[in-house]
Amino acid sequence: MEKEFWKAGNMLYPLPAVMVSCGRQGEKPNIITVAWTGTVCTNPPMVYISVRPSRFSYDIIKESGEFVINLSTKKLVKAVDYCGVKSGREVDKFKEMKLTPVPANIVSAPLILEAPVSIECRVTQILELGSHHMFLAEVLGVHADKAYMNEAGKFDLSKSQPIVYSHGEYYGLSELFGKFGYSVKKK
Ligand SMILES: Cc1cc2nc3c(=O)[nH]c(=O)nc-3n(C[C@H](O)[C@H](O)[C@H](O)COP(=O)(O)O)c2cc1C
């Protein structure tokens, strides 16, 4: 096995590509697609999103201190891309992509009804890293679409056909290779 050595760059793929909804009182809500996102703590449940200060959504999230992470699916992939190339400065992304804003339980930002999972988040810290500022946030509550509950009452996200983002392309998840801990499970 021979590997090339490349200069430093972002090569951690695949990643989720989520639609982050945000909003300020008295204004139309907006959506920004974010791939620089992840879970950073189990208890308390915490996540991050990294956003360039030049984005229209940046000031909204900074001033409101809140946002909602909406998971993406095959059905939503066009909206994921659109919300990642168009700015809320010029278009109403909810309207253009026929997405439905629904009031959240706790935060001021709306959920996207069509997403299988929406995660209400409150910013706890902003780390000004460089090109991107990282919004570290606590998860306040999660909305899960009942359509993806199986007979046993367990949530089955795979039924929603989730997508990932890798090297500029969107992919589905096609095959199940194992389950958590299966490598050490006694037969
Ligand atoms: C797949 C994908 C992932 C993206 N990830 C990020 C990201 O992590 N952070 C960011 O600041 N912009 C990211 N962008 C770019 C923004 O979504 C894009 O600039 C968007 O138009 C900003 O919208 P706004 O001006 O309405 O806030 C991504 C775009 C795409 C298509």
Side-chain angles (χ1 to χ4, degrees), residues 2-3 14 24 34 36 42 49 52 64 77 83 87 89 94 96 100 110 117 130 149 154 157 160-161 163 171-172:
E2 204 187 339
K3 286 181 181 165
R24 274 184 297 220
V34 168
W36 293 174
T42 303
I49 56 168
R52 282 186 190 265
S64 65
V77 69
C83 294
S87 178
R89 286 189 189 99
F94 274 98
E96 292 303 317
T100 319
V117 174
M149 301 287 179
K154 199 171 169 278
L157 184 66
S160 75
Q161 297 184 290
I163 58 153
Y171 293 89

Side-chain angles (χ1 to χ4, degrees), residues 19 72-80 97 99 114 116 145 148 159-163:
M19 289 190 286
S72 47
T73 62
K74 184 180 176 187
K75 257 192 191 162
L76 292 170
V77 69
K78 190 174 173 195
V80 169
M97 287 293 104
L99 296 172
E114 290 76 9
D145 190 337
Y148 305 115
K159 285 212 164 69
S160 75
Q161 297 184 290
I163 58 153

Side-chain angles (χ1 to χ4, degrees), residues 16-18 22 30-37 49-58 60 80-91 93 131-133 165 168 170:
V18 298
C22 54
N30 191 41
I31 305 169
I32 173 174
T33 297
V34 168
W36 293 174
T37 183
I49 56 168
S50 282
V51 179
R52 282 186 190 265
S54 57
R55 310 293 189 222
F56 180 61
S57 305
Y58 178 87
I60 302 175
V80 169
D81 191 63
Y82 184 87
C83 294
V85 293
K86 288 285 193 181
S87 178
R89 286 189 189 99
E90 283 102 44
V91 293
K93 300 188 211 180
S131 62
H132 290 65
H133 292 185
Y165 177 67
Y170 309 103

